[in-house]
Amino acid sequence: MDPGVATPLVPCAHVSLLVQKFGGTSVADAERIKAVADHIVATRKEGDAVVAVVSAMGRSTDDLERLAHDVSQAPAPREMDMLLTAGERISISLLCMALIDRGQRAVSFTGSQAGIVTDTSHGRAKIVEVKAERIRDAVAAGDIAVVAGFQGVSTARDVTTLGRGGSDTTAVALAAVLGAEACEIYTDVAGVYTADPRIVPQARLLPRVSYEEMLDMAATGGKVLALRSVEFARNHGVAVHVRSSFTWQPGTWVREEDPSMEQAIISGVTHDTSEAKITIEQVPDRPGVAATIFRALADELVNVDMIVQNVSTAGHTDVSFTAPKEDLARALQVMEKMRVEVDAAGVSHDPLIGRVSLVGAGMKSHPGVAAQMFEVLAAEGVNIEMISTSAIRISCVVHEDDVAKAVRALHRAFDLDAPDAGAS
Ligand code: ADP
Ligand code: ASP
Ligand code: MG
């Protein structure tokens, strides 16, 4: 559910408001935090009011997660959220100290203090409402409000987290509710590229991407923006500007599609190795079986993604699906019960898979993209295990070891490599 968006409030008629979000690498150490403070002060001097949203420093969320698993085999979800929210608390207070040192009034807010109200699903909570009065008051008083990303307070008054990468969602939700001119997402790359620049050095920076394309990129592994933040931006028309906190140069604008511009057939190649494949073998091929299996998975909150049912032979069929690796143990427990209940022959799983996707709005009007994708993968000797499509996306599940090779080959074959690539 989306939060109730209250009447936008801009501090005074001629001042516009920017939400600036700084990811983990952007606040990784004292020097980075001071650089961020300088940037916020400079933005403020240019006349814009600023609400800053920050992530935990560097990889400290990963460190806290590891620590939790060192003390407990299955950390209690409520306590895990309590632990993880500590990371962002450190960065908001440090950033405020740096701002105050620069003569800029600043106040830090936890998610709860900022009025981020969520449902009760620990670890993957959804924002149900943003009660931003305290933030509005701070902005009206001329303060920089510095808000802890990724966290909220549930309708049952417990601390929650929004899922990994969730600071993006905090930032976009606040931008929507506050009626901000834009939501700037500062990160460690220059913007949204045609592929993850860490896998494809020849990837090109995209000056603009439509909400629709960004949704499919985020849903298939383009983790530069969290999926929920993009859904939010589209639903509330928030203009998102993804850019670097190292160069401070303009990056990528994510906003409504511009009908006057010709659409690229393919805007990007994404990949995702966070899921596992599960197969239930020789399921009786009769009405209601798929409903029974997937209802049971949904009831256990397993996030099922791709589903493939094979051709039926002798009244039996195999059903495979993918789900996040962190849901694998739960999914296997459900499937073991299902094996008995629907009288299937067995259950198998494979965590060593990856998904490679082509995303592009122009695909809608260009036949043959799927055929070319399969030919490219075949030429690389990459076996396709599952296929799924949407209007503007084609995804293939392949062996995890083939992912990088597949992404690079597709990027080249669909003419996405930067023009000067390979020149040196
Ligand atoms: P932050 O900590 O700032 O939120 P993230 O690590 O969540 O940063 O997201 C930025 C990373 O996203 C980049 O370092 C890059 O490796 C990765 N990434 C994946 N796909 C893309 C893409 N298509 N364009 C840009 N970055 C991408
Ligand atoms: N610190 C959280 C994470 O690492 C949230 C975020 O960075 O967006 O996932
Ligand atoms: Mg992120």
Side-chain angles (χ1 to χ4, degrees):
M1 210 200 299
D2 280 346
V5 176
T7 322
L9 186 143
V10 185
C12 58
H14 58 279
V15 176
S16 58
L17 173 72
L18 284 176
V19 173
Q20 300 189 326
K21 178 259 172 178
F22 300 91
T25 33
S26 306
V27 291
D29 55 32
E31 289 315 308
R32 299 290 315 146
I33 290 174
K34 289 192 265 185
V36 165
D38 286 339
H39 182 70
I40 293 174
V41 168
T43 310
R44 189 78 190 84
K45 288 220 169 92
E46 279 167 21
D48 291 314
V50 178
V51 170
V53 173
V54 281
S55 293
M57 293 171 71
R59 301 198 172 281
S60 58
T61 309
D62 292 339
D63 297 340
L64 292 172
E65 246 184 8
R66 253 192 305 277
L67 193 56
H69 287 283
D70 285 347
V71 297
S72 163
Q73 271 189 339
R78 180 186 183 279
E79 303 315 321
M80 187 64 139
D81 275 356
M82 189 64 94
L83 176 72
L84 294 189
T85 51
E88 270 71 12
R89 203 180 251 252
I90 293 171
S91 39
I92 52 171
S93 46
L94 291 174
L95 178 56
C96 279
M97 291 173 196
L99 285 165
I100 293 163
D101 268 15
R102 283 159 180 70
Q104 173 59 58
R105 286 169 42 151
V107 194
S108 61
F109 296 93
T110 63
S112 164
Q113 291 174 320
I116 310 283
V117 181
T118 73
D119 64 16
T120 55
S121 344
H122 285 291
R124 58 174 92 176
K126 282 197 169 138
I127 299 176
V128 294
E129 197 182 354
V130 181
K131 296 180 180 168
E133 287 75 31
R134 290 191 72 180
I135 306 301
R136 285 198 182 91
D137 289 349
V139 171
D143 295 347
I144 304 290
V146 179
V147 180
F150 167 63
Q151 54 177 263
V153 61
S154 78
T155 45
R157 289 184 292 165
D158 280 318
V159 166
T160 49
T161 61
L162 309 179
R164 297 304 305 269
S167 297
D168 297 336
T169 313
T170 307
V172 176
L174 280 171
V177 172
L178 298 169
E181 190 191 352
C183 181
E184 298 184 326
I185 304 283
Y186 287 93
T187 184
D188 57 359
V189 287
V192 181
Y193 283 79
T194 48
D196 186 341
R198 290 178 209 286
I199 303 274
V200 185
Q202 299 89 340
R204 278 185 294 116
L205 181 66
L206 295 164
R208 49 175 304 141
V209 182
S210 67
Y211 291 130
E212 201 191 358
E213 287 170 315
M214 196 63 230
L215 274 179
D216 268 332
M217 285 174 89
T220 55
K223 67 161 189 161
V224 62
L225 282 179
L227 176 59
R228 289 242 190 91
S229 73
V230 189
E231 288 171 349
F232 228 101
R234 182 196 54 184
N235 294 348
H236 298 284
V238 178
V240 177
H241 186 184
V242 183
R243 51 193 301 191
S244 162
S245 71
F246 290 79
T247 66
W248 308 105
Q249 295 300 309
T252 304
W253 280 95
V254 184
R255 45 165 51 145
E256 211 63 69
E257 207 171 276
D258 180 352
S260 66
M261 277 175 63
E262 203 186 335
Q263 292 168 335
I265 301 176
I266 304 298
S267 334
V269 185
T270 55
H271 69 280
D272 179 11
T273 51
S274 67
E275 296 194 332
K277 183 173 85 167
I278 299 141
T279 303
I280 179 157
E281 290 146 6
Q282 296 195 39
V283 180
D285 195 8
R286 57 166 195 263
V289 171
T292 308
I293 294 172
F294 289 100
R295 166 52 56 203
L297 289 163
D299 287 347
E300 286 302 315
L301 301 178
V302 174
N303 237 323
V304 173
D305 189 9
M306 291 167 79
I307 302 173
V308 170
Q309 178 174 321
N310 288 343
V311 183
S312 171
T313 43
H316 286 85
T317 177
D318 290 353
V319 178
S320 296
F321 61 93
T322 64
K325 280 178 189 159
E326 70 247 29
D327 292 355
L328 180 61
R330 239 172 327 128
L332 288 175
Q333 274 172 9
V334 176
M335 295 317 279
E336 216 21 69
K337 273 195 223 137
M338 285 297 109
R339 184 183 64 75
V340 179
E341 193 170 324
V342 304
D343 195 23
V347 173
S348 60
H349 69 279
D350 182 1
L352 299 180
I353 58 150
R355 187 207 325 204
V356 182
S357 307
L358 287 181
V359 177
M363 217 184 264
K364 281 187 266 192
S365 49
H366 277 80
V369 174
Q372 193 183 346
M373 178 179 194
F374 305 152
E375 282 159 9
V376 171
L377 295 179
E380 292 291 321
V382 173
N383 186 43
I384 302 171
E385 298 182 27
M386 290 167 100
I387 299 167
S388 84
T389 62
S390 81
I392 64 159
R393 171 183 52 76
I394 305 170
S395 297
C396 294
V397 168
V398 301
H399 193 280
E400 195 176 61
D401 293 345
D402 287 335
V403 168
K405 171 166 88 169
V407 171
R408 287 190 201 109
L410 289 166
H411 198 267
R412 204 178 320 115
F414 283 89
D415 292 329
L416 295 172
D417 280 4
D420 55 354
S424 56

